[in-house]
């Protein structure tokens, strides 16, 4: 009985709602909401690639360790440091929340940095052992590790760039108002003592005494 009077009201409500929805969409777009969604996804994708490359490095290390163990006189302390550093790095539980937790990111970076340092030391020391230098399996692993370090650097740089774009948006006006409303906090990035080192992969000189 009330359906007929209600129909014009619903139509009027519909005509009123559509402009409001359009206005809200334009407002959100103009204030950076869509950019936050895009950059957040971009940052997470870049982070996933960083993790993939670190995992690739961790997966190569057991074979490297087993190959080096075949050299009976090899420095056990150097080998132990690599094993322990890998254990610490792989023990860290990586979660999506880490991207928004500066302290967790710092612990992760420290563990990966220690592993990279221990690994570089092992490869440098290995140059003192002719049997290892002549071992094709060891040389193949070394080449794979060097390639992985290059990919780590590329992936890390992409993540740093993505975080920088996201953080600029989160801190700039008027998109910072959108960040406050929706809780978009600046994301922690990689921190290094020498920022110039970010753009170049770590190098180990295998050609002479300077690399040892």
């Amino acid at each position: 009985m009330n359906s007929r009077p209600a129909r014009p009201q619903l139509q009027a409500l519909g005509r009123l709602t559509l402009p409001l929805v359009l206005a809200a969409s334009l407002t959100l777009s103009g204030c950076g909401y869509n950019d936050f969604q895009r950059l957040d996804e971009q940052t997470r994708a870049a982070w996933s690639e960083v993790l993939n490359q670190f995992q690739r490095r961790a997966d190569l290390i057991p074979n490297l360790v087993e190959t080096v163990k075949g050299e009976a006189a090899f420095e056990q302390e150097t080998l132990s440091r690599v094993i322990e550093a890998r254990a610490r790095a792989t023990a860290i539980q990586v979660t999506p929340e880490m991207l928004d937790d500066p302290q967790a990111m710092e612990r992760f970076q420290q563990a990966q940095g220690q592993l990279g340092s221990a690994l570089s030391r092992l490869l440098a020391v290995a140059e003192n052992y002719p049997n290892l230098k002549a071992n094709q399996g060891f040389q193949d692993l070394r080449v794979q590790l060097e390639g992985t370090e290059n990919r780590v650097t590329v992936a890390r740089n992409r993540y740093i760039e993505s975080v920088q774009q996201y953080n600029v948006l989160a801190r700039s006006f008027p998109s910072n108002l959108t960040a406050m409303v929706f809780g978009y906090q600046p994301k922690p990035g990689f921190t290094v003592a020498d920022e110039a080192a970010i753009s170049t992969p770590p190098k180990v000189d295998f050609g002479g005494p300077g690399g040892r």
Side-chain angles (χ1 to χ4, degrees):
M1 181 172 62
N2 297 327
S3 59
R4 290 183 179 178
R7 188 173 299 170
Q9 295 175 0
L10 290 174
Q11 292 175 347
L13 181 61
R15 288 194 295 271
L16 178 63
T17 301
L18 181 58
L20 290 175
V21 171
L22 291 174
S25 298
L26 291 173
T27 300
L28 288 173
S29 176
C31 290
Y33 179 82
N34 291 338
D35 290 331
F36 275 114
Q37 306 308 307
R38 175 178 59 81
L39 291 176
D40 185 59
E41 290 299 322
Q42 180 177 302
T43 301
R44 293 181 184 280
W47 176 243
S48 295
E49 184 59 23
V50 170
L51 295 180
N52 287 340
Q53 298 307 329
F54 277 136
Q55 185 60 53
R56 176 184 171 86
R57 180 174 69 177
D59 290 343
L60 288 170
I61 289 175
N63 288 336
L64 180 69
V65 169
E66 288 302 314
T67 302
V68 172
K69 279 183 178 179
E71 180 64 52
F74 193 83
E75 296 180 13
Q76 291 302 307
E77 181 180 357
T78 301
L79 194 59
S80 296
R81 286 181 179 176
V82 171
I83 296 171
E84 293 168 1
R86 181 186 183 277
R88 286 192 296 269
T90 56
I92 295 178
Q93 184 178 5
V94 179
T95 64
E97 290 74 24
M98 180 181 287
L99 286 177
D100 302 313
D101 187 341
Q103 293 181 341
M105 279 290 292
E106 184 177 358
R107 290 193 295 270
F108 177 83
Q109 292 178 58
Q110 288 179 347
Q112 293 295 338
Q114 290 169 359
L115 177 55
S117 178
L119 192 55
S120 294
R121 174 61 182 167
L122 183 148
L123 293 175
V125 170
E127 285 298 290
N128 296 321
Y129 296 84
N131 290 342
L132 277 177
K133 292 176 68 174
N135 186 314
Q136 188 60 48
F138 176 80
Q139 295 302 326
D140 290 344
L141 285 168
R142 191 194 73 178
V143 170
Q144 291 182 60
L145 284 166
E146 289 176 341
T148 299
E149 290 294 348
N150 290 334
R151 285 188 284 269
V152 164
T153 299
V154 171
R156 185 176 57 187
N157 286 345
R158 288 175 179 169
Y159 174 73
I160 290 170
E161 292 172 0
S162 297
V163 168
Q164 183 181 30
Q165 293 176 32
Y166 181 96
N167 288 347
V168 167
L169 186 67
R171 294 180 173 124
S172 300
F173 181 83
S175 54
N176 63 332
L177 301 179
T178 303
M180 286 189 288
V181 171
F182 291 96
Y184 296 128
Q185 299 294 326
K187 296 180 182 292
F190 279 92
T191 56
V192 292
D194 181 5
E195 292 187 4
I198 290 176
S199 60
T200 56
K203 296 180 179 179
V204 177
D205 181 7
F206 296 99
R212 290 194 279 273

